[in-house]
Amino acid sequence: MRWTLKPKPDLEKVKHLQQVLKVGATTAELLVQRGIETYDAAKAFFRPSLSDLHDPYLMKDMDKAITRIEKAITNKENILVYGDYDVDGTTAVALMSTYLKTKYNLVYTYVPNRYDEGYGVSKKGINFALENDFSLIIALDCGIKAIEKIEYAKSLGIDFIICDHHRPGDEIPNAVAVLDPKREDCKYPYKELCGCGVGFKLIQALAQKDGKTIEDLIPYLDLVATAIGADIVPINGENRILAYFGLHVINTNPRPGIKAILDQVEKTELTITDVVFIIAPRINAAGRMEHGNFAVALLAEEDYELAKTHAANINNYNSERRATDKTITEAALEQIEALDEQDRLTTVVYDETWHKGVIGIVASRLTETYYRPTLVFTKSGEKLAASARSVRGFDVYNALEACKEHIEQFGGHKYAAGLTLKEENYQAFKQAFEDEVSKTIDRNLLIPEVKIDAQIDLKDITPKFYRVLKQFAPHGPSNMTPVFMTENLRDTGYGKCVGADKTHLRLTASQPETNTIVCIGFGMGDKHELISDQKPFKAVYSIDENEWQGNVSLQLKLRDLKA
């Protein structure tokens, strides 16, 4: 791994924060690194407040969206809440439909089938709306590029309100309202909301019209926090406030569907990381292995006993997903070795039998293995469909844009995207993608990087320091878990490989004239030689708590070791 120590922040700003907050230099440095330079900014960071959320009417077209929904309710129109089949989409559908149903009965949901409709707004979905007398569709986490589909709906007398957060193309769909903070003509102050977050701003605007306060909407924030974690959006600004209060709901009074998931795993206090690795995969598994409707049914369910049944079914889908993902990942790794493509700067693999529902996960696994921009293709009807994943610092969406002559359609973000193309264009695309990445990527990005916030000594790791550090959560992009480096360490002599297959490393680190501290390095068993015989080493790590037989102590969670 490349170790990159972040530059020391402005000393005057650090000293100022030390004085006004009465904190140590390292804490002040961490804050300045995150753009927090004043007492008021620190107060907003450490004590998030719902009153700091922006007025939803600052978002372009919000007034039009509210007017159209109110008209639908007055005229007793059928409203169809339409969303994508991933976590962001299904949480958004559950959020919007359950809120609307508190004020109006004729509200129904639609999630496209991953396999015969694909991502986003589909013609099949619009035809469903026509056949069932829906005159208004609220699309969540999709729609910003559905120019032709929106026109088709309009020709049938069906109106659309779009709530999306993906980058728009050159043209904005001709919908009644298009809510997307990434629109160039949208002056909304915060641009990084997820799809469910944009949906939340719409219900916030509706609530304001109904004379409700933001406190009335707190029960919906467990859904928003789940989407924020799963969609890997920055956890700063508004997202941090929503995630902070949403996590509190998850940990104190979650909706029956989320409670039913948590009861399966017997986890008590969840962090945003737990949301990503426990709740999100189960919700995603429904759309991957069966249908996203199952996830919406779970998340919208008000009866706990029924929610338990839904959660049990979804847990089965998740188990099936894990087995399928393992099989395909192994086959993809074999294919790369057989093709002898280890020297390429990209990974592009294809097998027509691979399960479309897990190719995104497989792409992530391959990226972890080879650490280069990756696409995994499978057959989808008459075409090939792929999931793309990237390495930190490289915009895979821009790379796909440069290869669009070979692509039928694509969409996504800097680090994750999806696309379809004709089978006869596969080889040409594969070469074009390799050429584009070769031309544009900084070769350093192909070596995994660990960014270090600060260099400290073991004596700096005190219970008081950790109490403040805990308040930096929830973590995520733009507010990652603080990572530290310490040099001149030695194992006390009892370091060993642990775990059923001895792949993890456990040791007790010491530094001259200081206390010792336990360290755990998951998947780092191969580094045991570095610390054996009390050889000096340096470590990169984060700090967390270890609970064992009722005792809680601080420990270092190792990221990497070097001699």
Side-chain angles (χ1 to χ4, degrees):
M1 295 182 88
R2 285 181 295 139
W3 293 18
T4 306
L5 186 60
K6 291 178 184 175
K8 281 271 188 186
D10 186 292
L11 188 58
E12 289 305 311
K13 291 175 180 176
V14 171
K15 282 182 177 174
H16 172 70
L17 276 189
Q18 277 186 262
Q19 288 169 353
V20 298
L21 297 177
K22 307 287 189 288
V23 294
T26 303
T27 302
E29 283 181 21
L30 294 172
L31 289 168
V32 176
Q33 282 173 346
R34 285 155 177 74
I36 298 154
E37 300 175 356
T38 65
Y39 176 84
D40 288 341
K43 184 183 174 188
F45 180 77
F46 285 124
R47 301 288 180 268
S49 171
L50 291 168
S51 63
D52 288 337
L53 294 175
H54 302 300
D55 180 351
Y57 285 95
L58 294 173
M59 197 175 290
K60 187 171 177 63
D61 283 1
M62 184 63 78
D63 52 343
K64 295 178 185 174
I66 298 300
T67 300
R68 183 64 186 88
I69 291 170
E70 288 180 331
K71 179 187 168 190
I73 293 172
T74 301
N75 295 341
K76 294 190 167 44
E77 297 175 53
N78 290 324
I79 300 174
L80 189 63
V81 179
Y82 186 113
D84 207 32
Y85 39 71
D86 65 4
V87 177
D88 197 11
T90 52
T91 52
V93 170
L95 172 101
M96 184 61 58
S97 61
T98 53
Y99 181 78
L100 287 175
K101 282 178 182 176
T102 63
K103 51 191 277 147
Y104 184 60
N105 285 332
L106 303 176
V107 177
Y108 304 87
T109 62
Y110 188 95
V111 177
N113 185 304
R114 181 188 286 265
Y115 302 105
D116 67 2
E117 293 172 80
Y119 169 81
V121 176
S122 72
K123 210 164 184 181
K124 184 176 175 181
I126 294 168
N127 289 338
F128 172 87
L130 178 68
E131 290 158 13
N132 292 279
D133 196 29
F134 288 98
S135 46
L136 175 62
I137 298 176
I138 302 174
L140 298 137
D141 189 37
C142 61
I144 195 63
K145 286 192 167 183
I147 312 293
E148 292 167 9
K149 306 277 175 50
I150 304 302
E151 284 299 335
Y152 174 65
K154 199 165 184 165
S155 73
L156 301 174
I158 299 169
D159 286 339
F160 259 89
I161 293 170
I162 293 170
C163 302
D164 207 346
H165 71 119
H166 297 97
R167 290 191 220 172
D170 297 333
E171 187 182 347
I172 298 293
N174 187 20
V176 169
V178 180
L179 310 179
D180 188 335
K182 289 196 178 78
R183 286 179 65 165
E184 285 187 9
D185 57 351
C186 180
K187 300 293 188 285
Y188 191 72
Y190 188 70
K191 301 294 182 185
E192 300 299 334
L193 293 167
C194 61
C196 188
V198 178
F200 181 79
K201 299 310 293 188
L202 179 52
I203 73 166
Q204 189 187 348
L206 283 165
Q208 279 180 211
K209 273 275 193 176
D210 294 339
K212 294 178 179 173
T213 67
I214 191 67
E215 278 74 22
D216 295 317
L217 300 180
I218 288 174
Y220 296 91
L221 291 179
D222 53 358
L223 292 173
V224 184
T226 300
I228 286 169
D231 226 49
I232 318 180
V233 289
I235 300 190
N236 57 14
E238 240 179 358
N239 278 345
R240 190 164 186 277
I241 297 168
L242 294 167
Y244 178 89
F245 285 95
L247 273 174
H248 183 69
V249 176
I250 289 170
N251 284 317
T252 57
N253 190 26
R255 65 191 50 240
I258 289 180
K259 183 178 185 327
I261 291 175
L262 299 181
D263 287 348
Q264 290 175 338
V265 294
E266 297 179 357
K267 185 90 179 171
T268 46
E269 187 78 9
L270 265 75
T271 64
I272 202 80
T273 304
D274 295 322
V275 170
V276 173
F277 288 103
I278 294 172
I279 299 178
R282 286 166 169 78
I283 295 171
N284 252 333
R288 292 186 190 284
M289 309 311 293
E290 194 62 36
H291 201 291
N293 283 335
F294 291 98
V296 173
L298 171 70
L299 296 170
E301 184 54 64
E302 294 177 1
D303 181 283
Y304 177 67
E305 290 305 315
L306 286 173
K308 271 195 344 191
T309 304
H310 290 313
N313 292 335
I314 276 181
N315 200 41
N316 290 337
Y317 299 142
N318 193 44
S319 299
E320 185 187 344
R321 186 272 305 167
R322 278 153 69 174
T324 307
D325 143 33
K326 184 172 183 286
T327 303
I328 295 175
T329 300
E330 288 168 357
L333 289 168
E334 285 174 14
Q335 187 180 124
I336 294 163
E337 287 168 24
L339 292 170
D340 196 24
E341 293 184 341
Q342 287 90 328
D343 294 334
R344 290 171 68 94
L345 300 189
T346 62
T347 297
V348 182
V349 288
Y350 162 58
D351 188 297
E352 64 177 21
T353 66
W354 288 344
H355 196 298
K356 189 180 174 188
V358 300
I359 56 173
I361 303 169
V362 174
S364 295
R365 304 250 192 269
L366 298 182
T367 306
E368 287 167 16
T369 304
Y370 288 102
Y371 212 73
R372 56 198 192 190
T374 297
L375 285 117
V376 178
F377 279 88
T378 189
K379 195 82 180 272
S380 179
E382 295 298 306
K383 294 175 184 165
L384 304 191
S387 274
R389 296 291 183 270
S390 193
V391 296
R392 185 193 285 172
F394 184 74
D395 194 325
V396 74
Y397 184 93
N398 285 346
L400 294 175
E401 181 96 50
C403 305
K404 64 184 177 185
E405 64 179 292
H406 307 290
I407 299 172
E408 291 284 290
Q409 63 181 110
F410 72 101
H413 310 278
K414 181 175 182 177
Y415 294 128
L419 66 140
T420 57
L421 50 75
K422 292 177 179 170
E423 190 163 6
E424 59 265 29
N425 292 339
Y426 172 72
Q427 289 299 341
F429 166 79
K430 183 174 179 176
Q431 191 56 51
F433 185 66
E434 172 72 16
D435 294 343
E436 177 61 24
V437 171
S438 300
K439 205 165 57 186
T440 56
I441 198 166
D442 176 347
R443 297 304 194 266
N444 280 328
L445 299 181
L446 299 171
I447 305 166
E449 178 186 36
V450 56
K451 288 189 173 178
I452 301 158
D453 292 86
Q455 184 170 345
I456 62 175
D457 291 323
L458 292 189
K459 65 177 168 45
D460 301 320
I461 304 170
T462 63
K464 182 184 176 186
F465 176 60
Y466 184 68
R467 278 198 300 274
V468 178
L469 209 58
K470 274 175 83 169
Q471 295 176 62
F472 278 62
H475 297 297
S478 299
N479 181 36
M480 300 300 281
T481 304
V483 172
F484 304 102
M485 177 178 74
T486 300
E487 297 183 321
N488 196 21
L489 294 169
R490 279 181 166 81
D491 176 43
T492 55
Y494 300 99
K496 59 183 178 181
C497 295
V498 296
D501 46 6
K502 305 293 184 200
T503 53
H504 312 309
L505 181 65
R506 189 179 189 278
L507 62 106
T508 303
S510 66
Q511 229 179 354
E513 299 173 27
T514 190
N515 294 333
T516 60
I517 191 164
V518 171
C519 309
I520 184 75
F522 294 107
M524 291 173 62
D526 59 345
K527 293 189 181 283
H528 180 263
E529 172 59 29
L530 282 175
I531 60 104
S532 63
D533 303 322
Q534 296 186 296
K535 290 194 284 274
F537 65 93
K538 55 185 178 179
V540 174
Y541 56 86
S542 56
I543 306 167
D544 68 3
E545 286 176 317
N546 179 44
E547 189 171 341
W548 175 249
Q549 295 180 336
N551 296 317
V552 178
S553 58
L554 296 182
Q555 69 174 8
L556 307 188
K557 197 170 176 184
L558 299 174
R559 303 288 181 96
D560 198 16
L561 296 175
K562 286 185 180 176

